[in-house]
Amino acid sequence: MTIALNHLDTGGEGTPLVVIHGLLGSADNWRAHVKKWQAARRVIAVDLRNHGRSPHAAGMAYTQMADDLVALLDRLDVPRAHLLGHSMGGKVAISLARLAPERVASLIVADIAPRAYGHGHEAIFAGLRRLEGGAPANRGEADALLAEHVAERPVRLFLATNLERAETGQLRLRIGLDEIEGDYEAIRAAPAGEGAFRGPTLVIRGSRSDYVTDAMLPALHEVLPGAQLVTLEAGHWLHAEQPEAFQDAVNAFLDQRLD
């Protein structure tokens, strides 16, 4: 069963750019970029299932998340879209491009490769569980709870974007943590679909990130044979660390597309 995804739609003409966040992110993380992109094109930023303001539901398989996205495009009467996905969102975008290539005008993948990855979020899940059980009254208390498991303050600030004020006045998580942690193996897995997506593709990676290494490029090009590669001086959160360079890379790629 598909989920009716929460989304931000700027409106406008032409083929839209659909922006897909990564694990534990949301459309809200992309508002600054959306404001700039909307001057030239229609932009649709989505909250994936169990993220942001979208409903919670069991199952985080890439086939399910791609189906959710197709259902949204159908609901918005969008036959084809440019897809931009970061990290887990990049795997969703690759999955949709392989499963329904006729719906994808072009593909932009930010710092992820079409492969399975190892574990790496245990401390983050532990911190979120501590936060969930601690019922913080303010963001200072929330940060202290997270800090018991997550040392990096930038990571804690990112995780805190998932907090909302409950009717009781305390802060609570708005994400479907049970659903996300319960199907973490599916999130770690390679994108759905088989074969190659041969449409226009851009891969943007961070020079200080190990998510898209040189050793991964041969396998990446088997799945995305037409991919252009841009490397930014950044880590995994390249769109936040190098926002202007990221914007320039996306705009230069999209400006080549006729829509």
Side-chain angles (χ1 to χ4, degrees):
M1 183 180 70
T2 60
I3 300 302
L5 300 179
N6 179 69
H7 63 283
L8 167 67
D9 187 351
T10 66
E13 301 297 324
T15 304
L17 171 65
V18 175
V19 181
I20 315 166
H21 62 80
L23 179 62
L24 302 174
S26 72
D28 290 344
N29 303 146
W30 291 85
R31 285 187 178 275
H33 285 291
V34 170
K35 286 181 180 178
K36 293 187 176 181
W37 282 321
Q38 69 180 2
R41 64 184 69 252
R42 180 182 179 185
V43 185
I44 302 168
V46 304
D47 286 336
L48 295 172
R49 58 170 56 202
N50 300 310
H51 289 76
R53 297 175 182 84
S54 282
H56 299 175
M60 292 293 294
Y62 289 108
T63 50
Q64 293 171 298
M65 290 190 278
D67 285 346
D68 290 344
L69 199 51
V70 170
L72 175 63
L73 296 179
D74 288 344
R75 195 163 76 246
L76 297 177
D77 196 25
V78 174
R80 297 174 79 235
H82 303 288
L83 301 184
L84 188 166
H86 172 251
S87 198
M88 181 186 76
K91 288 189 183 181
V92 175
I94 295 169
S95 299
L96 179 51
R98 296 171 91 180
L99 295 168
E102 71 281 359
R103 305 300 297 266
V104 181
S106 71
L107 178 64
I108 305 171
V109 179
D111 211 53
I112 202 74
R115 63 187 294 270
Y117 286 81
H119 291 271
H121 291 85
E122 290 82 359
I124 287 176
F125 287 141
L128 292 173
R129 289 297 183 188
R130 180 71 180 95
L131 186 61
E132 186 179 54
N138 54 56
R139 290 187 176 272
E141 291 184 10
D143 187 68
L145 292 169
L146 281 171
E148 295 178 17
H149 296 276
V150 181
E152 303 86 353
R153 180 163 170 75
V155 177
R156 298 200 305 271
L157 290 173
F158 167 71
L159 295 174
T161 63
N162 291 298
L163 290 170
E164 63 181 5
R165 187 72 63 180
E167 293 180 359
T168 59
Q170 296 170 322
L171 292 174
R172 67 182 179 192
L173 290 171
R174 65 182 183 180
I175 57 173
L177 185 56
D178 289 345
E179 291 82 1
I180 292 171
E181 190 174 15
D183 210 13
Y184 182 57
E185 291 302 314
I187 296 170
R188 290 180 53 243
E194 298 180 357
F197 172 71
R198 301 187 180 279
T201 303
L202 172 67
V203 175
I204 311 174
R205 64 175 178 172
S207 62
R208 298 190 300 275
S209 170
D210 59 2
Y211 277 77
V212 186
T213 64
D214 288 346
M216 298 176 190
L217 294 181
L220 183 149
H221 284 294
E222 288 183 9
V223 177
L224 306 172
Q228 304 174 32
L229 181 66
V230 171
T231 304
L232 302 183
E233 292 297 321
H236 185 55
W237 304 99
L238 64 180
H239 57 294
E241 296 176 42
Q242 293 280 1
E244 292 186 3
F246 188 84
Q247 286 267 342
D248 289 345
V250 171
N251 289 339
F253 175 73
L254 290 177
D255 286 348
Q256 301 173 32
R257 317 273 79 81
L258 299 177
D259 50 8

